[in-house]
Amino acid sequence: MEKGKSAANEIASSLEDLHLKSRPKSTPVASPFDSFAFSLKKTKPPSLVNLCLGILGRYLEDIIADISEIAAGFPPDIKLVLVAIARRRQLLNDDVLISLAEVSWKILDLSGSDVTDFGLRKVAEICIDLRAIDISNCGKITVAGVSELIYHCQSLETLRCGGCPRSEITARQCVSILKPKLNHVEEDSWEELENVDIGSGSQSLCWLVWPKIDDDSKESLAVECPRIVVNPQPLPLGFRGLQVPKETLANKALDHFIIDGIDPKTWAVSGATRRPPAPAPTACDDTPELSMAERFRLAFLERDARLAPKRAKNARQHRRRAEREYLMNSSSAKSIILASQASKFLHNKS
């Protein structure tokens, strides 16, 4: 028994002298497959469609004359990408835009292009469901083109404008047509109002991106049409309870997400391969303001477009008055009316 106790005491003393160190927690070791997957995700290759669009974009200058035939069977989203590339290559004009326009487009970026009022009117007649458009730095677009855009695109919510001096003048002249208003009509009955436009202006515009807006225009929009938010800023909870759309971000191009995944070298063309400059400068950088004759011409076009509905109404009223005077003064017309009434009476009596 004593030997057993002495052995137990020796074992206990040896265990007390033994210092057990806690084993450090093992850190997870990344497997080679995880690192390969991370690198593969980081360097994801472009899709075959983006590669083909990149090739088309690089040689767009050579095929721009036949773009309507080449892109005839392309889907609408691919045509919109070609428009975005042509704009960055400074090749976008009326012919290119009209040949690629599709009815299903919701957004359109024309900023800095050579599109005129004619091209804007044609594309507005085709793309009637446009929700957002950028016409900033378009020196060839005037108030007449914007008026056609507002008239045809009844679902337009976001408008970008201003930029160069000519675009700033156009934007200031368009303030009156952006505000929705009721037209003063004088008709004889409610039935005649079916084919008469009792309202004008933009009925759905909510966001106006105009970085250099003057104080008078901003105050006029705030007082007469507070629904239109000028230069909205993205907020976490939205603006006035509304979520600010991504199309209103002034620091990003309107079509930036359309060309996502395409190599930027597609439109980063060297100066030797760019198209030769036009004889008349069309860029909107430091061009002087319009001449007095051009201002009078634009003012006349604006006044003519504003008074066109009134002239049509007056013509209809004159026509109705002439018909009434003819019925009251012409004996043949009275005899025809009496004969028709007598025939109706005899027909009902029989």
Side-chain angles (χ1 to χ4, degrees), residues 65-98:
D66 302 322
I67 192 64
S68 59
E69 300 178 2
I70 296 174
F74 288 0
D77 54 339
I78 301 300
K79 291 184 178 181
L80 191 59
V81 174
L82 291 179
V83 170
I85 296 176
R87 185 183 68 83
R88 287 164 171 78
R89 291 285 306 273
Q90 299 180 4
L91 298 173
L92 186 58
N93 52 26
D94 292 346
D95 297 334
V96 177
L97 181 62
I98 295 172

PDB file of all heavy atoms in Angstrom, residues 65-98:
ATOM      1  N   ALA A  65     -21.056  55.089 -93.130  1.00  0.00           N
ATOM      2  CA  ALA A  65     -21.909  55.427 -94.272  1.00  0.00           C
ATOM      3  C   ALA A  65     -22.936  54.335 -94.549  1.00  0.00           C
ATOM      4  O   ALA A  65     -24.024  54.625 -95.066  1.00  0.00           O
ATOM      5  CB  ALA A  65     -21.054  55.671 -95.517  1.00  0.00           C
ATOM      6  N   ASP A  66     -22.623  53.086 -94.210  1.00  0.00           N
ATOM      7  CA  ASP A  66     -23.523  51.954 -94.454  1.00  0.00           C
ATOM      8  C   ASP A  66     -24.074  51.392 -93.153  1.00  0.00           C
ATOM      9  O   ASP A  66     -24.455  50.208 -93.105  1.00  0.00           O
ATOM     10  CB  ASP A  66     -22.785  50.857 -95.225  1.00  0.00           C
ATOM     11  CG  ASP A  66     -22.221  51.360 -96.544  1.00  0.00           C
ATOM     12  OD1 ASP A  66     -22.905  52.170 -97.199  1.00  0.00           O
ATOM     13  OD2 ASP A  66     -21.094  50.953 -96.908  1.00  0.00           O
ATOM     14  N   ILE A  67     -24.130  52.198 -92.103  1.00  0.00           N
ATOM     15  CA  ILE A  67     -24.539  51.688 -90.799  1.00  0.00           C
ATOM     16  C   ILE A  67     -26.004  51.248 -90.799  1.00  0.00           C
ATOM     17  O   ILE A  67     -26.385  50.331 -90.071  1.00  0.00           O
ATOM     18  CB  ILE A  67     -24.294  52.768 -89.706  1.00  0.00           C
ATOM     19  CG1 ILE A  67     -24.431  52.162 -88.312  1.00  0.00           C
ATOM     20  CG2 ILE A  67     -25.217  53.937 -89.903  1.00  0.00           C
ATOM     21  CD1 ILE A  67     -23.407  51.116 -87.990  1.00  0.00           C
ATOM     22  N   SER A  68     -26.842  51.886 -91.616  1.00  0.00           N
ATOM     23  CA  SER A  68     -28.254  51.499 -91.658  1.00  0.00           C
ATOM     24  C   SER A  68     -28.428  50.088 -92.204  1.00  0.00           C
ATOM     25  O   SER A  68     -29.286  49.332 -91.721  1.00  0.00           O
ATOM     26  CB  SER A  68     -29.055  52.494 -92.496  1.00  0.00           C
ATOM     27  OG  SER A  68     -28.548  52.552 -93.818  1.00  0.00           O
ATOM     28  N   GLU A  69     -27.643  49.692 -93.189  1.00  0.00           N
ATOM     29  CA  GLU A  69     -27.733  48.341 -93.739  1.00  0.00           C
ATOM     30  C   GLU A  69     -27.051  47.325 -92.838  1.00  0.00           C
ATOM     31  O   GLU A  69     -27.531  46.192 -92.696  1.00  0.00           O
ATOM     32  CB  GLU A  69     -27.102  48.320 -95.133  1.00  0.00           C
ATOM     33  CG  GLU A  69     -27.779  49.254 -96.135  1.00  0.00           C
ATOM     34  CD  GLU A  69     -27.097  49.228 -97.490  1.00  0.00           C
ATOM     35  OE1 GLU A  69     -26.120  48.449 -97.635  1.00  0.00           O
ATOM     36  OE2 GLU A  69     -27.532  49.984 -98.389  1.00  0.00           O
ATOM     37  N   ILE A  70     -25.930  47.705 -92.234  1.00  0.00           N
ATOM     38  CA  ILE A  70     -25.195  46.769 -91.385  1.00  0.00           C
ATOM     39  C   ILE A  70     -25.980  46.455 -90.122  1.00  0.00           C
ATOM     40  O   ILE A  70     -26.064  45.299 -89.689  1.00  0.00           O
ATOM     41  CB  ILE A  70     -23.809  47.346 -91.044  1.00  0.00           C
ATOM     42  CG1 ILE A  70     -22.978  47.498 -92.321  1.00  0.00           C
ATOM     43  CG2 ILE A  70     -23.085  46.483 -90.027  1.00  0.00           C
ATOM     44  CD1 ILE A  70     -21.655  48.178 -92.109  1.00  0.00           C
ATOM     45  N   ALA A  71     -26.586  47.467 -89.510  1.00  0.00           N
ATOM     46  CA  ALA A  71     -27.291  47.283 -88.234  1.00  0.00           C
ATOM     47  C   ALA A  71     -28.777  47.034 -88.416  1.00  0.00           C
ATOM     48  O   ALA A  71     -29.539  47.167 -87.458  1.00  0.00           O
ATOM     49  CB  ALA A  71     -27.078  48.518 -87.353  1.00  0.00           C
ATOM     50  N   ALA A  72     -29.205  46.670 -89.602  1.00  0.00           N
ATOM     51  CA  ALA A  72     -30.645  46.479 -89.839  1.00  0.00           C
ATOM     52  C   ALA A  72     -31.212  45.348 -88.993  1.00  0.00           C
ATOM     53  O   ALA A  72     -32.331  45.439 -88.479  1.00  0.00           O
ATOM     54  CB  ALA A  72     -30.901  46.216 -91.319  1.00  0.00           C
ATOM     55  N   GLY A  73     -30.443  44.277 -88.793  1.00  0.00           N
ATOM     56  CA  GLY A  73     -30.933  43.143 -88.017  1.00  0.00           C
ATOM     57  C   GLY A  73     -30.466  43.120 -86.586  1.00  0.00           C
ATOM     58  O   GLY A  73     -30.693  42.124 -85.882  1.00  0.00           O
ATOM     59  N   PHE A  74     -29.844  44.193 -86.108  1.00  0.00           N
ATOM     60  CA  PHE A  74     -29.348  44.233 -84.733  1.00  0.00           C
ATOM     61  C   PHE A  74     -30.500  44.453 -83.761  1.00  0.00           C
ATOM     62  O   PHE A  74     -31.476  45.139 -84.080  1.00  0.00           O
ATOM     63  CB  PHE A  74     -28.313  45.342 -84.558  1.00  0.00           C
ATOM     64  CG  PHE A  74     -26.984  45.046 -85.212  1.00  0.00           C
ATOM     65  CD1 PHE A  74     -26.778  43.870 -85.898  1.00  0.00           C
ATOM     66  CD2 PHE A  74     -25.940  45.956 -85.129  1.00  0.00           C
ATOM     67  CE1 PHE A  74     -25.571  43.586 -86.512  1.00  0.00           C
ATOM     68  CE2 PHE A  74     -24.723  45.695 -85.733  1.00  0.00           C
ATOM     69  CZ  PHE A  74     -24.547  44.501 -86.421  1.00  0.00           C
ATOM     70  N   PRO A  75     -30.397  43.915 -82.534  1.00  0.00           N
ATOM     71  CA  PRO A  75     -31.414  44.206 -81.509  1.00  0.00           C
ATOM     72  C   PRO A  75     -31.367  45.673 -81.095  1.00  0.00           C
ATOM     73  O   PRO A  75     -30.360  46.360 -81.299  1.00  0.00           O
ATOM     74  CB  PRO A  75     -31.016  43.276 -80.351  1.00  0.00           C
ATOM     75  CG  PRO A  75     -30.130  42.227 -80.954  1.00  0.00           C
ATOM     76  CD  PRO A  75     -29.435  42.899 -82.091  1.00  0.00           C
ATOM     77  N   PRO A  76     -32.448  46.171 -80.482  1.00  0.00           N
ATOM     78  CA  PRO A  76     -32.469  47.586 -80.090  1.00  0.00           C
ATOM     79  C   PRO A  76     -31.377  47.971 -79.104  1.00  0.00           C
ATOM     80  O   PRO A  76     -30.820  49.078 -79.190  1.00  0.00           O
ATOM     81  CB  PRO A  76     -33.862  47.763 -79.485  1.00  0.00           C
ATOM     82  CG  PRO A  76     -34.692  46.684 -80.105  1.00  0.00           C
ATOM     83  CD  PRO A  76     -33.763  45.530 -80.289  1.00  0.00           C
ATOM     84  N   ASP A  77     -31.035  47.076 -78.142  1.00  0.00           N
ATOM     85  CA  ASP A  77     -30.006  47.437 -77.170  1.00  0.00           C
ATOM     86  C   ASP A  77     -28.627  47.522 -77.818  1.00  0.00           C
ATOM     87  O   ASP A  77     -27.793  48.352 -77.414  1.00  0.00           O
ATOM     88  CB  ASP A  77     -29.993  46.428 -76.022  1.00  0.00           C
ATOM     89  CG  ASP A  77     -29.843  44.993 -76.532  1.00  0.00           C
ATOM     90  OD1 ASP A  77     -30.138  44.760 -77.710  1.00  0.00           O
ATOM     91  OD2 ASP A  77     -29.432  44.120 -75.739  1.00  0.00           O
ATOM     92  N   ILE A  78     -28.367  46.704 -78.835  1.00  0.00           N
ATOM     93  CA  ILE A  78     -27.089  46.781 -79.533  1.00  0.00           C
ATOM     94  C   ILE A  78     -27.006  48.086 -80.336  1.00  0.00           C
ATOM     95  O   ILE A  78     -25.950  48.725 -80.402  1.00  0.00           O
ATOM     96  CB  ILE A  78     -26.909  45.559 -80.441  1.00  0.00           C
ATOM     97  CG1 ILE A  78     -26.953  44.266 -79.613  1.00  0.00           C
ATOM     98  CG2 ILE A  78     -25.606  45.657 -81.215  1.00  0.00           C
ATOM     99  CD1 ILE A  78     -25.879  44.176 -78.569  1.00  0.00           C
ATOM    100  N   LYS A  79     -28.106  48.493 -80.946  1.00  0.00           N
ATOM    101  CA  LYS A  79     -28.122  49.760 -81.673  1.00  0.00           C
ATOM    102  C   LYS A  79     -27.871  50.938 -80.730  1.00  0.00           C
ATOM    103  O   LYS A  79     -27.206  51.916 -81.100  1.00  0.00           O
ATOM    104  CB  LYS A  79     -29.448  49.923 -82.397  1.00  0.00           C
ATOM    105  CG  LYS A  79     -29.647  48.964 -83.560  1.00  0.00           C
ATOM    106  CD  LYS A  79     -30.951  49.260 -84.290  1.00  0.00           C
ATOM    107  CE  LYS A  79     -31.137  48.339 -85.490  1.00  0.00           C
ATOM    108  NZ  LYS A  79     -32.394  48.630 -86.228  1.00  0.00           N
ATOM    109  N   LEU A  80     -28.399  50.841 -79.517  1.00  0.00           N
ATOM    110  CA  LEU A  80     -28.173  51.917 -78.542  1.00  0.00           C
ATOM    111  C   LEU A  80     -26.702  51.988 -78.141  1.00  0.00           C
ATOM    112  O   LEU A  80     -26.159  53.077 -77.918  1.00  0.00           O
ATOM    113  CB  LEU A  80     -29.054  51.693 -77.319  1.00  0.00           C
ATOM    114  CG  LEU A  80     -29.153  52.846 -76.323  1.00  0.00           C
ATOM    115  CD1 LEU A  80     -29.688  54.098 -77.010  1.00  0.00           C
ATOM    116  CD2 LEU A  80     -30.044  52.465 -75.153  1.00  0.00           C
ATOM    117  N   VAL A  81     -26.050  50.834 -78.050  1.00  0.00           N
ATOM    118  CA  VAL A  81     -24.609  50.829 -77.770  1.00  0.00           C
ATOM    119  C   VAL A  81     -23.835  51.482 -78.909  1.00  0.00           C
ATOM    120  O   VAL A  81     -22.891  52.243 -78.688  1.00  0.00           O
ATOM    121  CB  VAL A  81     -24.135  49.384 -77.522  1.00  0.00           C
ATOM    122  CG1 VAL A  81     -22.621  49.346 -77.375  1.00  0.00           C
ATOM    123  CG2 VAL A  81     -24.779  48.808 -76.285  1.00  0.00           C
ATOM    124  N   LEU A  82     -24.229  51.216 -80.145  1.00  0.00           N
ATOM    125  CA  LEU A  82     -23.570  51.847 -81.285  1.00  0.00           C
ATOM    126  C   LEU A  82     -23.747  53.359 -81.265  1.00  0.00           C
ATOM    127  O   LEU A  82     -22.832  54.112 -81.630  1.00  0.00           O
ATOM    128  CB  LEU A  82     -24.116  51.261 -82.587  1.00  0.00           C
ATOM    129  CG  LEU A  82     -23.760  49.801 -82.882  1.00  0.00           C
ATOM    130  CD1 LEU A  82     -24.397  49.351 -84.182  1.00  0.00           C
ATOM    131  CD2 LEU A  82     -22.251  49.608 -82.938  1.00  0.00           C
ATOM    132  N   VAL A  83     -24.922  53.822 -80.833  1.00  0.00           N
ATOM    133  CA  VAL A  83     -25.140  55.264 -80.704  1.00  0.00           C
ATOM    134  C   VAL A  83     -24.202  55.848 -79.650  1.00  0.00           C
ATOM    135  O   VAL A  83     -23.614  56.924 -79.841  1.00  0.00           O
ATOM    136  CB  VAL A  83     -26.616  55.551 -80.351  1.00  0.00           C
ATOM    137  CG1 VAL A  83     -26.803  57.019 -79.976  1.00  0.00           C
ATOM    138  CG2 VAL A  83     -27.511  55.205 -81.528  1.00  0.00           C
ATOM    139  N   ALA A  84     -24.043  55.141 -78.524  1.00  0.00           N
ATOM    140  CA  ALA A  84     -23.147  55.619 -77.465  1.00  0.00           C
ATOM    141  C   ALA A  84     -21.700  55.669 -77.947  1.00  0.00           C
ATOM    142  O   ALA A  84     -20.961  56.618 -77.648  1.00  0.00           O
ATOM    143  CB  ALA A  84     -23.277  54.722 -76.237  1.00  0.00           C
ATOM    144  N   ILE A  85     -21.272  54.653 -78.700  1.00  0.00           N
ATOM    145  CA  ILE A  85     -19.901  54.656 -79.220  1.00  0.00           C
ATOM    146  C   ILE A  85     -19.720  55.758 -80.265  1.00  0.00           C
ATOM    147  O   ILE A  85     -18.696  56.457 -80.291  1.00  0.00           O
ATOM    148  CB  ILE A  85     -19.563  53.275 -79.805  1.00  0.00           C
ATOM    149  CG1 ILE A  85     -19.584  52.214 -78.709  1.00  0.00           C
ATOM    150  CG2 ILE A  85     -18.197  53.304 -80.483  1.00  0.00           C
ATOM    151  CD1 ILE A  85     -19.363  50.800 -79.208  1.00  0.00           C
ATOM    152  N   ALA A  86     -20.715  55.933 -81.144  1.00  0.00           N
ATOM    153  CA  ALA A  86     -20.626  56.987 -82.158  1.00  0.00           C
ATOM    154  C   ALA A  86     -20.560  58.370 -81.514  1.00  0.00           C
ATOM    155  O   ALA A  86     -19.863  59.259 -82.011  1.00  0.00           O
ATOM    156  CB  ALA A  86     -21.830  56.897 -83.100  1.00  0.00           C
ATOM    157  N   ARG A  87     -21.277  58.556 -80.423  1.00  0.00           N
ATOM    158  CA  ARG A  87     -21.219  59.850 -79.733  1.00  0.00           C
ATOM    159  C   ARG A  87     -19.824  60.098 -79.174  1.00  0.00           C
ATOM    160  O   ARG A  87     -19.299  61.222 -79.272  1.00  0.00           O
ATOM    161  CB  ARG A  87     -22.254  59.880 -78.616  1.00  0.00           C
ATOM    162  CG  ARG A  87     -22.364  61.230 -77.915  1.00  0.00           C
ATOM    163  CD  ARG A  87     -23.364  61.161 -76.779  1.00  0.00           C
ATOM    164  NE  ARG A  87     -22.900  60.321 -75.693  1.00  0.00           N
ATOM    165  CZ  ARG A  87     -22.080  60.726 -74.731  1.00  0.00           C
ATOM    166  NH1 ARG A  87     -21.595  61.960 -74.747  1.00  0.00           N
ATOM    167  NH2 ARG A  87     -21.719  59.916 -73.770  1.00  0.00           N
ATOM    168  N   ARG A  88     -19.215  59.087 -78.594  1.00  0.00           N
ATOM    169  CA  ARG A  88     -17.870  59.252 -78.053  1.00  0.00           C
ATOM    170  C   ARG A  88     -16.824  59.387 -79.144  1.00  0.00           C
ATOM    171  O   ARG A  88     -15.782  59.996 -78.916  1.00  0.00           O
ATOM    172  CB  ARG A  88     -17.536  58.062 -77.143  1.00  0.00           C
ATOM    173  CG  ARG A  88     -18.277  58.107 -75.815  1.00  0.00           C
ATOM    174  CD  ARG A  88     -18.236  56.768 -75.099  1.00  0.00           C
ATOM    175  NE  ARG A  88     -18.760  56.879 -73.744  1.00  0.00           N
ATOM    176  CZ  ARG A  88     -20.046  56.928 -73.443  1.00  0.00           C
ATOM    177  NH1 ARG A  88     -20.948  56.871 -74.428  1.00  0.00           N
ATOM    178  NH2 ARG A  88     -20.457  57.040 -72.186  1.00  0.00           N
ATOM    179  N   ARG A  89     -17.084  58.830 -80.314  1.00  0.00           N
ATOM    180  CA  ARG A  89     -16.170  58.984 -81.435  1.00  0.00           C
ATOM    181  C   ARG A  89     -16.436  60.258 -82.224  1.00  0.00           C
ATOM    182  O   ARG A  89     -15.810  60.495 -83.251  1.00  0.00           O
ATOM    183  CB  ARG A  89     -16.319  57.776 -82.379  1.00  0.00           C
ATOM    184  CG  ARG A  89     -15.812  56.444 -81.823  1.00  0.00           C
ATOM    185  CD  ARG A  89     -14.304  56.362 -81.826  1.00  0.00           C
ATOM    186  NE  ARG A  89     -13.765  56.629 -83.132  1.00  0.00           N
ATOM    187  CZ  ARG A  89     -13.583  55.710 -84.082  1.00  0.00           C
ATOM    188  NH1 ARG A  89     -13.916  54.456 -83.846  1.00  0.00           N
ATOM    189  NH2 ARG A  89     -13.068  56.027 -85.242  1.00  0.00           N
ATOM    190  N   GLN A  90     -17.400  61.084 -81.773  1.00  0.00           N
ATOM    191  CA  GLN A  90     -17.780  62.329 -82.440  1.00  0.00           C
ATOM    192  C   GLN A  90     -18.272  62.065 -83.862  1.00  0.00           C
ATOM    193  O   GLN A  90     -17.989  62.819 -84.792  1.00  0.00           O
ATOM    194  CB  GLN A  90     -16.595  63.307 -82.457  1.00  0.00           C
ATOM    195  CG  GLN A  90     -16.120  63.705 -81.070  1.00  0.00           C
ATOM    196  CD  GLN A  90     -14.953  64.657 -81.107  1.00  0.00           C
ATOM    197  OE1 GLN A  90     -14.526  65.086 -82.178  1.00  0.00           O
ATOM    198  NE2 GLN A  90     -14.428  65.005 -79.941  1.00  0.00           N
ATOM    199  N   LEU A  91     -19.031  60.987 -84.012  1.00  0.00           N
ATOM    200  CA  LEU A  91     -19.584  60.615 -85.311  1.00  0.00           C
ATOM    201  C   LEU A  91     -21.105  60.650 -85.323  1.00  0.00           C
ATOM    202  O   LEU A  91     -21.709  60.299 -86.342  1.00  0.00           O
ATOM    203  CB  LEU A  91     -19.121  59.194 -85.698  1.00  0.00           C
ATOM    204  CG  LEU A  91     -17.622  58.990 -85.877  1.00  0.00           C
ATOM    205  CD1 LEU A  91     -17.318  57.508 -86.074  1.00  0.00           C
ATOM    206  CD2 LEU A  91     -17.099  59.798 -87.048  1.00  0.00           C
ATOM    207  N   LEU A  92     -21.709  61.056 -84.227  1.00  0.00           N
ATOM    208  CA  LEU A  92     -23.167  61.004 -84.130  1.00  0.00           C
ATOM    209  C   LEU A  92     -23.780  62.249 -84.759  1.00  0.00           C
ATOM    210  O   LEU A  92     -23.521  63.376 -84.349  1.00  0.00           O
ATOM    211  CB  LEU A  92     -23.588  60.907 -82.657  1.00  0.00           C
ATOM    212  CG  LEU A  92     -25.081  60.696 -82.399  1.00  0.00           C
ATOM    213  CD1 LEU A  92     -25.574  59.425 -83.075  1.00  0.00           C
ATOM    214  CD2 LEU A  92     -25.371  60.651 -80.901  1.00  0.00           C
ATOM    215  N   ASN A  93     -24.603  62.032 -85.788  1.00  0.00           N
ATOM    216  CA  ASN A  93     -25.326  63.111 -86.446  1.00  0.00           C
ATOM    217  C   ASN A  93     -26.746  62.641 -86.741  1.00  0.00           C
ATOM    218  O   ASN A  93     -27.183  61.581 -86.273  1.00  0.00           O
ATOM    219  CB  ASN A  93     -24.605  63.553 -87.721  1.00  0.00           C
ATOM    220  CG  ASN A  93     -24.299  62.378 -88.641  1.00  0.00           C
ATOM    221  OD1 ASN A  93     -24.986  61.361 -88.616  1.00  0.00           O
ATOM    222  ND2 ASN A  93     -23.263  62.519 -89.454  1.00  0.00           N
ATOM    223  N   ASP A  94     -27.484  63.418 -87.527  1.00  0.00           N
ATOM    224  CA  ASP A  94     -28.880  63.076 -87.806  1.00  0.00           C
ATOM    225  C   ASP A  94     -29.012  61.747 -88.543  1.00  0.00           C
ATOM    226  O   ASP A  94     -29.877  60.922 -88.200  1.00  0.00           O
ATOM    227  CB  ASP A  94     -29.529  64.196 -88.630  1.00  0.00           C
ATOM    228  CG  ASP A  94     -29.690  65.467 -87.837  1.00  0.00           C
ATOM    229  OD1 ASP A  94     -29.561  65.408 -86.598  1.00  0.00           O
ATOM    230  OD2 ASP A  94     -29.934  66.529 -88.445  1.00  0.00           O
ATOM    231  N   ASP A  95     -28.187  61.522 -89.548  1.00  0.00           N
ATOM    232  CA  ASP A  95     -28.299  60.303 -90.352  1.00  0.00           C
ATOM    233  C   ASP A  95     -28.040  59.049 -89.515  1.00  0.00           C
ATOM    234  O   ASP A  95     -28.776  58.058 -89.607  1.00  0.00           O
ATOM    235  CB  ASP A  95     -27.327  60.364 -91.529  1.00  0.00           C
ATOM    236  CG  ASP A  95     -27.645  61.501 -92.479  1.00  0.00           C
ATOM    237  OD1 ASP A  95     -28.824  61.916 -92.531  1.00  0.00           O
ATOM    238  OD2 ASP A  95     -26.716  61.997 -93.157  1.00  0.00           O
ATOM    239  N   VAL A  96     -26.990  59.083 -88.698  1.00  0.00           N
ATOM    240  CA  VAL A  96     -26.663  57.925 -87.865  1.00  0.00           C
ATOM    241  C   VAL A  96     -27.763  57.671 -86.839  1.00  0.00           C
ATOM    242  O   VAL A  96     -28.194  56.533 -86.622  1.00  0.00           O
ATOM    243  CB  VAL A  96     -25.307  58.127 -87.177  1.00  0.00           C
ATOM    244  CG1 VAL A  96     -24.983  56.970 -86.258  1.00  0.00           C
ATOM    245  CG2 VAL A  96     -24.205  58.300 -88.222  1.00  0.00           C
ATOM    246  N   LEU A  97     -28.245  58.741 -86.215  1.00  0.00           N
ATOM    247  CA  LEU A  97     -29.263  58.586 -85.180  1.00  0.00           C
ATOM    248  C   LEU A  97     -30.571  58.047 -85.750  1.00  0.00           C
ATOM    249  O   LEU A  97     -31.185  57.139 -85.183  1.00  0.00           O
ATOM    250  CB  LEU A  97     -29.492  59.935 -84.500  1.00  0.00           C
ATOM    251  CG  LEU A  97     -30.527  59.957 -83.370  1.00  0.00           C
ATOM    252  CD1 LEU A  97     -30.100  59.040 -82.234  1.00  0.00           C
ATOM    253  CD2 LEU A  97     -30.733  61.372 -82.860  1.00  0.00           C
ATOM    254  N   ILE A  98     -31.014  58.582 -86.867  1.00  0.00           N
ATOM    255  CA  ILE A  98     -32.288  58.145 -87.450  1.00  0.00           C
ATOM    256  C   ILE A  98     -32.199  56.707 -87.952  1.00  0.00           C
ATOM    257  O   ILE A  98     -33.151  55.932 -87.826  1.00  0.00           O
ATOM    258  CB  ILE A  98     -32.698  59.104 -88.583  1.00  0.00           C
ATOM    259  CG1 ILE A  98     -32.971  60.502 -88.017  1.00  0.00           C
ATOM    260  CG2 ILE A  98     -33.923  58.600 -89.318  1.00  0.00           C
ATOM    261  CD1 ILE A  98     -33.203  61.560 -89.072  1.00  0.00           C
TER     262      ILE A  98
END
